[in-house]
Amino acid sequence: MDDKTARMVAAQLRQPHGDFALEVGERMNEGNLFMNLSTIETLRIAPHDYILEVGMGNGFFVKDILGKERHVKYAGCDFSAEMVEEAKKRNAAFIEAGNAEFHFTVADKLPFADGTFDKLFTVNTIYFWDNHVAVLNEFFRVLKPEGRLFIALRPKATMIKYPFTQYNFHMFTREELVALLRENGFRTYNAVEIQEPPTAAITGEEMVLETLIVCAEK
């Protein structure tokens, strides 16, 4: 992958936009299938949970969340306008039923009242936060007392293998992420590390990847 392509991929992963947005969304669904489904399992969704996902992309996995238990509500936020519109189209029936809503916004300015959500999760977005303290403060604000936060990512040892992560990616080890959460008021209680089955990565090359899910409580 040449330098120009790597920069383009980095920009699209950060915020899918323009003519390539829909294709990027589909490629992310394919490359991150195992990661997203593993994170949803880790949530241990219960009846009547109100769940927020930050960075839901095109909303492909919403059906897997709302199908877990009865009376679950979901809200998704993304700062790609194209992804928000695609998520609304894909999940129109859930929106009509009052089970899902989608918002175009940034992670440190969430359009919700204090103490709204039982659970908040985000997959592969932490690399792109410009101000980690501001984002975590916002997550803390919108969670209910004892609400739970789940951050899923590929750890630094995996991410550095990609040629595009040299362009404005913030990468973390498990220890660094745990420390960041604790410094910002969260009690971390679990870190799930899973080796994924070999898959075609966003680069089109097959790689052995690892999922890291750090679980914390307000």
Side-chain angles (χ1 to χ4, degrees):
M1 181 180 290
D2 61 31
D3 182 72
K4 181 178 178 181
T5 303
R7 287 179 182 273
M8 183 187 72
V9 170
Q12 285 289 341
L13 292 176
R14 179 183 180 88
Q15 184 184 41
H17 58 277
D19 295 338
F20 295 106
L22 298 187
E23 179 184 348
V24 170
E26 293 300 330
R27 291 287 295 273
M28 288 193 294
N29 292 342
E30 295 168 10
N32 298 326
L33 175 66
F34 181 88
M35 190 178 198
N36 276 278
L37 295 180
S38 297
T39 304
I40 291 167
E41 287 298 320
T42 304
L43 296 179
R44 296 187 179 180
I45 297 170
H48 302 284
D49 270 352
Y50 194 4
I51 298 170
L52 172 62
E53 180 179 8
V54 174
M56 81 284 155
N58 64 18
F60 178 80
F61 296 99
V62 174
K63 64 185 187 309
D64 300 289
I65 296 164
L66 293 178
K68 284 292 182 184
E69 293 287 348
R70 298 181 63 189
H71 308 299
V72 174
K73 291 185 65 178
Y74 169 94
C77 293
D78 205 289
F79 87 135
S80 165
E82 289 89 341
M83 291 297 95
V84 172
E85 290 308 307
E86 187 67 13
K88 288 178 178 179
K89 293 175 186 176
R90 191 183 292 270
N91 296 284
F94 290 132
I95 296 172
E96 181 68 22
N99 296 323
E101 59 185 283
F102 299 91
H103 301 270
F104 173 49
T105 189
V106 292
D108 58 358
K109 292 182 174 62
L110 300 174
F112 307 105
D114 296 358
T116 296
F117 297 98
D118 299 288
K119 292 166 183 173
L120 189 164
F121 78 101
T122 186
V123 178
N124 277 344
T125 70
I126 191 170
Y127 326 117
F128 310 117
W129 302 349
D130 293 323
N131 185 329
H132 292 81
V133 172
V135 173
L136 290 175
N137 284 344
E138 191 70 344
F139 287 2
F140 196 93
R141 181 185 69 78
V142 301
L143 280 168
K144 294 178 180 178
E146 300 183 355
R148 294 191 166 183
L149 171 64
F150 304 81
I151 298 180
L153 68 157
R154 292 202 169 98
K156 185 182 291 185
T158 295
M159 291 299 291
I160 60 175
K161 297 176 184 178
Y162 291 108
F164 48 79
T165 56
Q166 62 182 301
Y167 300 107
N168 300 314
F169 274 67
H170 302 284
M171 294 174 278
F172 292 84
T173 64
R174 178 184 65 182
E175 293 76 16
E176 288 169 341
L177 180 52
V178 167
L180 179 67
L181 288 166
R182 290 178 176 171
E183 288 165 5
N184 287 278
F186 285 95
R187 180 182 69 84
T188 56
Y189 65 90
N190 196 18
V192 180
E193 295 178 276
I194 312 167
Q195 183 169 307
E196 304 176 26
T199 185
I202 193 75
T203 59
E205 301 175 4
E206 189 172 278
M207 296 176 63
V208 177
L209 303 174
E210 184 181 2
T211 288
L212 169 64
I213 307 167
V214 176
C215 315
E217 187 174 81
K218 178 174 176 177

